[in-house]
């Protein structure tokens, strides 16, 4: 791999992945980051790397659905591997407005697979990044295995399931060198504050209500984002083509417990809120999400045993680092929330 096309590299996981590859591995080639820069894409997350790594890092502002632009990006930069992160990623948005999810997640993935197939002589790897949500919802017991039948419940997970099927089919039918990962919920630096953990951190910091859906007992398996990036890199290096790997943190927690931990850590790290003994007083139960999946939990034995990957962070260590990062980065938060970075994008890329 000399020239890796990373899609969605200005998003939460993509930005962490590019950072991980440049700073934590011996990769000496170039990364071409293709990103449409939607509300969730923020080039500021990589501004220091862009400076430090010069022409080893290129940002191309394009839509993955645009076949001509994607073909040019692959050819102009002699791309020989693809790590595909770009997606609409928020379940609540997919419930309100599913159109972009179908376009980007399904059609966009199809476009990239097709273009990679047309360049089979050069492109030796297509890694498709996906989610455990494609498997549906678990009861009190059980874990998602790689061969668990797909049963996606939200427009988001249905669109990701479709893209997974296309990626798998392109390997099976055309021999495209595809690897795939299905990962549990990520948290860590640079996550857009619409997802549970950053939303709760910022609201709790400012003394705003902490909206917990339903009874707060839905369970997610939390993985620190750098562990996910390490897993993807490991699969890209050693994974068997045509194979899927489940990635998880063995950190199952009820949402209410996650929120309580955030409240307690913020009380410790940022000091108590005026007039409140504990930030837990901000917890507010609100109407449940329609079709809300009850429990996700991953069995990641395959990647552990076959590729030797294990998560480095526990929830206790990862959430402390994450909260500290949000406390240390008020400018990033301010720009993301105020949309200031959008004017930066417009001035650099012409709106
Ligand atoms: P994100 O929403 O933070 O970032 C998505 C990025 O994709 C943004 O930079 C956005 O500008 C870009 N993008 C969106 N539409 C595009 C398009 N049409 N063309 C080009 N770029 C486009 O998402 P994330 O949380 O970083 O997730 C990345 C990937 O990981 C997704 O495929 C998601 O399904 C998967 N995933 C996420 C999680 C999680 O917990 N966040 C867990 C498992 C898997
Ligand atoms: P989220 O971060 O949106 O990830 P996903 O839906 O992909 O798992 O939500 C994580 C869990 O937190 C999910 O069970 C929904 C719940 N949640 C809340 O209770 N309140 C909120 O404000 C948000 C955004 C999520």
């Amino acid at each position: 791999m000399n020239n890796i096309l990373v899609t969605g590299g200005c998003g939460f996981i993509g930005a962490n992945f590019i950072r991980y590859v440049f700073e934590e591995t011996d990769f000496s080639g170039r990364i071409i980051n293709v990103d449409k820069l939607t509300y969730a894409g923020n080039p500021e997350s990589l501004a220091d790397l862009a400076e430090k790594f010069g022409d080893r890092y290129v940002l191309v502002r394009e839509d993955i659905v645009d076949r001509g632009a994607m073909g040019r990006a692959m050819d102009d930069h002699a791309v020989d591997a693809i790590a595909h992160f770009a997606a609409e990623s928020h379940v609540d948005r997919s419930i309100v407005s599913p159109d972009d999810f179908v376009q980007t997640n399904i059609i966009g993935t199809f476009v990239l697979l097709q273009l990679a197939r047309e360049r089979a002589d050069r492109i030796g790897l297509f890694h498709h990044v996906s989610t455990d949500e494609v498997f549906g919802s678990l009861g009190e017991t059980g874990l998602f295995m790689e061969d668990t039948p797909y049963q996606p419940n939200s427009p988001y997970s249905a669109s990701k399931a479709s893209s997974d099927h296309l990626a798998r089919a392109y390997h099976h039918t055309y021999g495209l060198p595809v690897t795939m990962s299905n990962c549990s919920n990520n948290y860590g630096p640079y996550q857009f504050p619409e997802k549970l953990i950053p939303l709760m951190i910022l609201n709790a910091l400012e003394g705003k209500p902490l909206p917990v859906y339903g009874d707060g007992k839905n369970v997610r398996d939390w993985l620190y984002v750098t562990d996910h990036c390490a897993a993807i890199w490991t699969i890209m290096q050693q994974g068997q083509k045509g194979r899927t790997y489940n990635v998880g943190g063995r950190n199952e927690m009820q949402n209410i417990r996650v929120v309580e931990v955030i409240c307690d850590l913020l009380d410790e790290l940022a000091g108590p809120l005026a007039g409140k003994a504990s930030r837990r007083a901000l917890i507010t139960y609100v109407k449940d999400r329609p079709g809300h999946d009850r429990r996700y939990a991953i069995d990641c034995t395959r990647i552990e045993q076959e590729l030797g990957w294990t998560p480095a962070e526990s929830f206790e260590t990862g959430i402390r680092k994450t909260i500290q990062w949000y406390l240390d980065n008020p400018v990033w938060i301010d720009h993301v929330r105020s949309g200031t970075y959008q004017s930066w994008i417009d001035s650099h890329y012409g709106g």
Side-chain angles (χ1 to χ4, degrees):
M1 288 188 284
N2 291 314
N3 298 309
I4 307 177
L5 182 87
V6 173
T7 68
C10 290
F12 164 49
I13 305 175
N16 277 285
F17 177 76
I18 293 174
R19 190 169 289 283
Y20 175 83
V21 172
F22 275 132
E23 293 184 338
E24 305 293 333
T25 76
D26 58 5
F27 177 69
S28 59
R30 300 167 70 231
I31 290 184
I32 298 92
N33 174 9
V34 170
D35 199 300
K36 185 180 173 183
L37 303 181
T38 68
Y39 77 95
N42 182 358
E44 282 183 27
S45 302
L46 291 168
D48 59 322
L49 283 193
E51 192 128 308
K52 190 165 159 197
F53 289 94
D55 63 6
R56 288 185 60 208
Y57 170 74
V58 183
L59 172 59
V60 179
R61 185 189 189 187
E62 293 289 358
D63 188 331
I64 57 166
V65 170
D66 184 337
R67 194 183 282 235
M70 287 306 100
R72 280 193 297 282
M74 289 182 192
D75 295 339
D76 289 352
H77 300 282
V79 164
D80 53 17
I82 296 172
H84 175 36
F85 294 80
E88 288 293 335
S89 67
H90 190 36
V91 173
D92 291 324
R93 284 181 193 256
S94 84
I95 293 168
V96 176
S97 172
D99 302 56
D100 288 345
F101 289 73
V102 171
Q103 282 301 320
T104 291
N105 300 3
I106 305 178
I107 308 294
T109 302
F110 163 69
V111 165
L112 294 168
L113 288 165
Q114 187 61 22
L115 290 169
R117 184 187 154 215
E118 289 162 10
R119 289 156 181 77
D121 52 334
R122 192 180 66 224
I123 296 181
L125 178 68
F126 188 114
H127 183 76
H128 177 63
V129 179
S130 193
T131 166
D132 62 354
E133 303 191 22
V134 296
F135 298 121
S137 185
L138 289 165
E140 292 288 307
T141 59
L143 299 169
F144 296 135
M145 311 290 291
E146 282 83 356
D147 60 1
T148 298
Y150 275 31
Q151 200 167 12
N153 288 320
S154 71
Y156 164 66
S157 55
S159 68
K160 291 297 292 186
S162 307
S163 64
D164 291 11
H165 289 319
L166 281 169
R168 190 186 158 282
Y170 266 66
H171 172 75
H172 187 80
T173 304
Y174 305 116
L176 196 75
V178 170
T179 52
M180 300 192 358
S181 47
N182 292 87
C183 187
S184 62
N185 287 61
N186 285 215
Y187 66 101
Y190 303 107
Q191 187 168 29
F192 191 84
E194 63 185 352
K195 305 280 167 57
L196 178 74
I197 287 184
L199 180 82
M200 294 297 164
I201 294 173
L202 298 191
N203 280 13
L205 199 54
E206 293 168 356
K208 292 182 182 164
L210 307 178
V212 172
Y213 298 165
D215 64 2
K217 292 187 177 153
N218 299 66
V219 171
R220 298 292 182 263
D221 170 4
W222 293 97
L223 182 70
Y224 191 67
V225 65
T226 312
D227 281 325
H228 185 194
C229 296
I232 292 170
W233 187 245
T234 304
I235 297 166
M236 289 176 71
Q237 302 290 310
Q238 307 168 41
Q240 188 183 317
K241 302 296 186 298
R243 204 149 170 80
T244 292
Y245 298 87
N246 278 357
V247 183
R250 298 190 198 280
N251 275 311
E252 274 187 62
M253 286 175 80
Q254 290 186 341
N255 293 337
I256 184 64
R257 183 66 198 133
V258 171
V259 177
E260 286 171 356
V261 169
I262 291 171
C263 289
D264 296 350
L265 272 172
L266 270 175
D267 286 340
E268 178 196 322
L269 296 171
L273 270 179
K276 295 237 172 344
S278 158
R279 283 180 169 79
R280 290 189 188 205
L282 300 169
I283 292 171
T284 311
Y285 288 93
V286 298
K287 191 165 164 289
D288 208 354
R289 169 189 282 172
H292 195 175
D293 284 339
R294 191 64 173 167
R295 175 171 166 260
Y296 303 144
I298 280 269
D299 183 316
C300 54
T301 308
R302 175 180 287 177
I303 186 172
E304 289 185 334
Q305 290 188 349
E306 293 182 13
L307 307 184
W309 170 91
T310 49
E313 302 287 347
S314 65
F315 189 75
E316 288 67 32
T317 59
I319 193 68
R320 189 174 275 275
K321 279 189 187 178
T322 304
I323 291 176
Q324 195 60 57
W325 186 87
Y326 280 91
L327 290 173
D328 292 343
N329 286 277
V331 175
W332 184 91
I333 292 164
D334 184 49
H335 286 182
V336 162
R337 289 211 298 193
S338 65
T340 306
Y341 79 96
Q342 193 61 47
S343 43
W344 185 90
I345 291 169
D346 292 346
S347 67
H348 281 68
Y349 296 97

